[in-house]
Amino acid sequence: MMNNRLSLAQRRALWALSLAYFIQATGALSVAGSLSAISHEWGLSDGQSARLLAIFGLTFAISAPLAQVFLGHMMRKYQVLAGMLVFGLGAFIFAIAPDYTALVISRVVMGLGASLIGPVLVALGAELVTQHERGSAIATILLGVSMASMVGIPLAAWIANGWGARTLFALVALVSVLTALAVWFSVPNIVKGVDIRLRQVGQVLMDGKSLAAFLVVFFITSGVYDMYAFISPMIRDRWQGDTASVSVALTVIGVAGILGNLFVGRAARRYSAERLLVTGITMLVLDMLLLMILPGKLALLYLLLVLWAFSTDLLWPTQQRRIVEIASAATRGISLALTSAFMFCGIGFGSAVASWLYPLFGFYGVMLSAVLFLLLALISLWISERLRVRSQALQAASVC
């Protein structure tokens, strides 16, 4: 949450950026809640529909750092505007797609547009406020992701199941354009881009503490979306739920996620990013183990999804905050772009793993692989923190 030390103009700018994140997250992730509608509209299997989520994630992962290399010199505001318009174009292609090939192209275009939105939103918002308020500003911007979970994705599933997937993505295209207008009028054009070269990308990736931090992001998102990508089929098969049950589950995830995001906005002022990450990952692992152990009753599922969503939304802004803290001012832009790249690569990889494992090993195969990814995230965090402490010690010794 924002406090009174921010001006009205700053708050408006941050909420406009949060809205942009809301649209990106809803358009990108609504595939997971609309698998049945998409499969029915184009005659696809659940695996083919789920791979549309993976295609988006992998496109984003490749294009996010490259976008900063070739377009990073542009003013941050213009990058966001360009991204929103390209993202909307991709959604429009989805809405009119005649076949699966066109659907794949649309998701590639949406991934290209999103690569200029997610990484830049956080970097832009962080520069609009003082350093002391950056943690809360980032949480405010990422509140758009939580709102997408609470409102956007359940609403998208409802629209897709009621009026069809084509209507859903036509609306995403329209709202993307309207959001670009909100950014145009609300966000000041004062934050310059950074001229980044491929060599700098390589240097950031070669830095041990940064690479390990990026792997934390990758493994967290792989674990979360390994489960989330197939939440609709799992509710149908494991908990004998119907379309209404999926909508309730998505709403529960969204509401609990809002609580997690609001909590981290306050907790960021008191606790280190490392402590919050360890807490969130541990809670998530325990929750997934309980989902596997406890009986397949919908009431228990909804209860455990509260903890699942709270934990995941505790992690999203915290991992971004940690990257901002460990990166230098010169590498912050490319570090945030790489963070988003690793995040969406994790989304794509986790979704792809689920689409392969679920037909072969079902619910337990997906859940066990998700837990494994989260344990790898904890190991990566431990390595990153050790390397960061060692780097600080070496810098202090060189000064002396």
Side-chain angles (χ1 to χ4, degrees):
M1 294 289 291
M2 301 311 301
N3 60 42
N4 293 330
R5 282 174 288 186
L6 293 177
S7 68
L8 178 60
Q10 286 176 312
R11 288 196 292 271
R12 284 177 176 171
L14 292 176
W15 286 116
L17 298 178
S18 183
L19 176 61
Y21 230 146
F22 170 82
I23 300 303
Q24 181 203 306
T26 299
L29 305 178
S30 59
V31 169
S34 308
L35 283 182
S36 298
I38 294 171
S39 298
H40 178 265
E41 179 69 29
W42 283 276
L44 309 175
S45 67
D46 286 341
Q48 286 177 304
S49 297
R51 278 192 283 276
L52 294 173
L53 183 60
I55 289 166
F56 175 92
L58 295 175
T59 300
F60 186 106
I62 295 170
S63 59
L66 293 178
Q68 288 303 300
V69 171
F70 295 109
L71 301 174
H73 63 279
M74 294 170 56
M75 298 293 286
R76 298 288 195 197
K77 177 179 176 178
Y78 293 152
Q79 293 182 50
V80 173
L81 291 172
M84 291 303 304
L85 294 176
V86 173
F87 187 80
L89 174 62
F92 179 73
I93 295 172
F94 196 109
I96 63 173
D99 52 31
Y100 190 68
T101 300
L103 290 176
V104 170
I105 293 172
S106 76
R107 295 299 282 176
V108 170
V109 175
M110 291 180 77
L112 291 172
S115 70
L116 280 171
I117 302 172
V120 181
L121 289 175
V122 174
L124 173 54
E127 296 299 326
L128 295 177
V129 300
T130 64
Q131 183 173 357
H132 177 71
E133 294 298 326
R134 279 179 180 166
S136 295
I138 292 171
T140 297
I141 295 169
L142 293 180
L143 185 62
V145 180
S146 299
M147 288 300 295
S149 297
M150 185 180 79
V151 179
I153 296 173
L155 180 61
W158 180 67
I159 293 172
N161 289 313
W163 287 279
R166 294 184 187 275
T167 300
L168 167 63
F169 281 90
L171 288 173
V172 170
L174 174 62
V175 178
S176 295
V177 175
L178 296 177
T179 302
L181 291 174
V183 171
W184 175 266
F185 287 111
S186 302
V187 179
N189 190 31
I190 60 174
V191 181
K192 296 181 179 180
V194 179
D195 191 8
I196 296 172
R197 301 184 183 278
L198 279 174
R199 183 181 69 255
Q200 293 174 282
V201 178
Q203 289 172 343
V204 173
L205 289 174
M206 290 297 291
D207 178 44
K209 69 178 186 299
S210 297
L211 178 58
F214 297 143
L215 288 176
V216 174
V217 175
F218 172 79
F219 286 124
I220 288 174
T221 49
S222 293
V224 168
Y225 282 90
D226 193 352
M227 172 183 163
Y228 188 75
F230 265 69
I231 191 168
S232 295
M234 286 195 294
I235 290 175
R236 178 192 64 206
D237 300 334
R238 162 73 172 163
W239 286 276
Q240 288 74 54
D242 54 14
T243 301
S245 303
V246 174
S247 296
V248 171
L250 293 174
T251 302
V252 168
I253 289 173
V255 173
I258 290 290
L259 297 177
N261 192 283
L262 295 176
F263 170 79
V264 76
R266 298 176 182 274
R269 298 187 177 96
R270 297 185 58 187
Y271 302 107
S272 68
E274 292 75 27
R275 184 173 179 180
L276 290 175
L277 284 172
V278 170
T279 300
I281 295 171
T282 302
M283 290 168 57
L284 204 51
V285 168
L286 292 175
D287 185 78
M288 288 186 171
L289 292 175
L290 289 174
L291 282 169
M292 288 187 280
I293 294 171
L294 294 179
K297 296 182 178 180
L298 280 171
L300 288 175
L301 169 66
Y302 297 149
L303 183 62
L304 290 173
L305 284 179
V306 172
L307 179 60
W308 185 89
F310 182 90
S311 302
T312 56
D313 277 78
L314 178 66
L315 295 173
W316 300 143
T318 303
Q319 62 191 13
Q320 298 265 12
R321 170 192 164 195
R322 186 167 187 268
I323 294 297
V324 169
E325 290 175 348
I326 67 176
S328 66
T331 63
R332 186 171 295 140
I334 189 60
S335 294
L336 286 170
L338 287 169
T339 300
S340 293
F342 274 81
M343 181 173 72
F344 278 92
C345 187
I347 290 173
F349 184 72
S351 303
V353 168
S355 68
W356 173 67
L357 285 178
Y358 195 77
L360 296 176
F361 304 105
F363 169 75
Y364 289 101
V366 169
M367 296 301 289
L368 287 172
S369 63
V371 169
L372 175 61
F373 287 138
L374 293 172
L375 294 177
L376 290 172
L378 279 175
I379 294 171
S380 299
L381 179 60
W382 178 77
I383 294 172
S384 176
E385 187 60 14
R386 281 179 63 89
L387 292 173
R388 185 170 76 92
V389 171
R390 182 184 301 174
S391 175
Q392 290 176 339
L394 291 174
Q395 289 177 357
S398 66
V399 171
C400 294

